[in-house]
Amino acid sequence: MVTMIRTILLIIAFVAGLVILDRAIGAMLRAAYDRTFTGEAGGQINEALQNRNREVIVFGSSLARHQVDPSVLEAQLGTSAFNAGCNGQDIYYGRMLQSLLIGQGCESKHFVYVINWRDLVEDEIDRARMFSVFVDESAAIRQILAASLGQRVKLQSHAYRFNTLAISTMRQLMAPEYEGNDGFVPIAADYTPSNRDFTDMDRDLRRGLTASELGVMSSKLSLYRDFAAEARRRNIVVTFVVSPTYREGRERGPGEKLVLRQLSIVAAETKANFIMLDEFAIPAFQDVRYFGDPRHLNARGAALFSRLLASCLETERPDVAKTQHVDDLLGL
């Protein structure tokens, strides 16, 4: 009996030691992480949180980061702005970042989300797992990242939350990768079209969405709805904006049309603004000189896009949603 009790006590002590060690490692990594403000692996989240009281905050992927210049918005609107876009990210990133901004007392008046329609048909949740660091600070983050029992168990470990982040955190601490201005990084290149650049667009023209893609879209639309509804509850205006693509005369495919139509419905339901500033609405964006590649404007194009966006934001009022008639814009 004495031996059994001693064994149980040793097991308890061992487990307690592991828990204490895990908490200690997690605390050290968090202290280092909180001092990083650069890098797509997480530092950009801290930079956005530092700027949470800018009146206009821009969300999205590289389509936001490389195409919306906060200095242009500030000059035209007479207000402060920050670009919180992050390359390769989607609404998972946007919704979780929004939850942190609001949770920490965000005083913003306007959230702008630059739409990448492909994000709605691709499940890239692993790209946004750097938010595991904040899992105890947001119900929205827990809902997204701890959806399965396995993930809930793993996220109990404070050290596990920094899985894949530890090395990048230390690298950014030693050699911060400062770039751009208030989150905006212009593309200096001028684009020269090549036939291979349009393979995906030609494929999109031939087919609609698969059953799997439709399932992903349904899930993603609910996150866009949550994004807009949560902001609305805080009296923050939300504007979804569609940016240009260089297509060489190609139309939108049926999948892209469906995604944009569904997003416009979400915008109307949540009293968010839905604005098309693409090449169909703005013929100037059919000019290749404004592009750095088929899907991204270069610095010249970003300056024009930012001015046009600022003009749209200028005319919006908190109590009136501006949702363009998307069926007309899509030629349906």
Side-chain angles (χ1 to χ4, degrees):
M1 175 66 82
V2 174
T3 302
M4 182 180 295
I5 293 174
R6 184 180 296 124
T7 300
I8 293 173
L9 290 175
L10 284 172
I11 292 173
I12 293 173
F14 178 73
V15 172
L18 287 179
V19 171
I20 292 170
L21 179 62
D22 174 73
R23 295 297 189 271
I25 292 173
M28 288 188 294
L29 289 172
R30 180 62 188 262
Y33 177 85
D34 285 346
R35 292 167 54 200
T36 64
F37 300 94
T38 58
E40 294 174 359
Q44 288 180 16
I45 298 172
N46 288 332
E47 185 186 21
L49 293 174
Q50 260 196 339
N51 289 279
R52 64 185 177 276
N53 291 329
R54 301 289 183 99
E55 290 195 34
V56 179
I57 297 181
V58 180
F59 296 78
S61 62
S62 57
L63 296 185
R65 187 162 175 79
H66 298 307
Q67 299 185 156
V68 181
D69 186 346
S71 68
V72 173
L73 301 185
E74 290 178 345
Q76 199 161 328
L77 298 173
T79 189
S80 59
F82 182 78
N83 188 329
C86 185
N87 293 341
Q89 296 296 344
D90 59 11
I91 188 60
Y92 289 128
Y93 185 101
R95 176 69 182 103
M96 289 190 283
L97 176 59
Q98 181 205 43
S99 73
L100 291 176
L101 292 169
I102 290 175
Q104 293 191 16
C106 171
E107 296 180 6
S108 296
K109 302 293 189 296
H110 209 135
F111 287 163
V112 177
Y113 199 110
V114 182
I115 299 297
N116 179 353
W117 79 269
R118 291 179 182 276
D119 289 343
L120 277 91
V121 296
E122 298 172 355
D123 191 351
E124 301 288 358
I125 183 62
D126 288 340
R127 290 183 180 179
R129 289 202 180 277
M130 73 280 282
F131 280 92
S132 296
V133 174
F134 302 97
V135 72
D136 291 333
E137 301 170 35
S138 163
I141 293 176
R142 289 192 294 275
Q143 183 179 9
I144 292 171
L145 294 184
S148 69
L149 177 60
Q151 284 299 325
R152 286 196 293 274
V153 171
K154 289 178 181 178
L155 288 171
Q156 293 304 307
S157 167
H158 287 221
Y160 173 80
R161 298 172 187 182
F162 290 89
N163 185 31
T164 74
L165 287 181
I167 294 176
S168 62
T169 296
M170 296 307 169
R171 185 172 64 247
Q172 293 301 326
L173 275 176
M174 292 184 290
E177 297 171 352
Y178 294 106
E179 59 177 1
N181 175 52
D182 282 337
F184 168 60
V185 182
I187 295 175
D190 290 325
Y191 173 53
T192 300
S194 170
N195 286 336
R196 66 177 177 272
D197 296 335
F198 302 101
T199 302
D200 288 346
M201 293 183 204
D202 290 333
R203 182 200 62 202
D204 292 338
L205 284 170
R206 294 192 300 268
R207 70 169 182 86
L209 301 179
T210 65
S212 175
E213 288 171 333
L214 287 170
V216 172
M217 182 182 71
S218 176
S219 175
K220 291 286 189 73
L221 284 171
S222 68
L223 290 175
Y224 278 94
R225 186 176 288 104
D226 290 345
F227 182 95
E230 178 65 17
R232 180 76 178 178
R233 283 192 289 271
R234 310 285 175 165
N235 294 317
I236 299 172
V237 179
V238 171
T239 294
F240 297 122
V241 57
V242 179
S243 63
T245 298
Y246 186 74
R247 304 175 190 263
E248 281 199 334
R250 292 168 176 81
E251 295 297 320
R252 291 185 178 89
E256 183 177 359
K257 289 181 179 180
L258 175 61
V259 166
L260 295 181
R261 190 186 307 115
Q262 292 301 312
L263 275 172
S264 74
I265 293 171
V266 167
E269 290 174 348
T270 57
K271 295 182 172 58
N273 303 299
F274 186 90
I275 295 173
M276 310 285 283
L277 289 179
D278 64 349
E279 70 282 7
F280 297 105
I282 311 296
F285 286 132
Q286 295 174 23
D287 190 335
V288 71
R289 291 178 301 168
Y290 287 111
F291 288 85
D293 63 51
R295 301 191 185 279
H296 297 90
L297 298 167
N298 58 21
R300 185 186 302 111
L304 175 58
F305 181 75
S306 299
R307 289 197 301 272
L308 292 168
L309 176 60
S311 295
C312 290
L313 301 185
E314 208 167 18
T315 62
E316 292 168 7
R317 301 195 304 275
D319 59 335
V320 179
K322 181 199 297 181
T323 301
Q324 297 178 341
H325 197 281
V326 74
D327 285 355
D328 288 343
L329 291 167
L330 297 181
L332 298 177

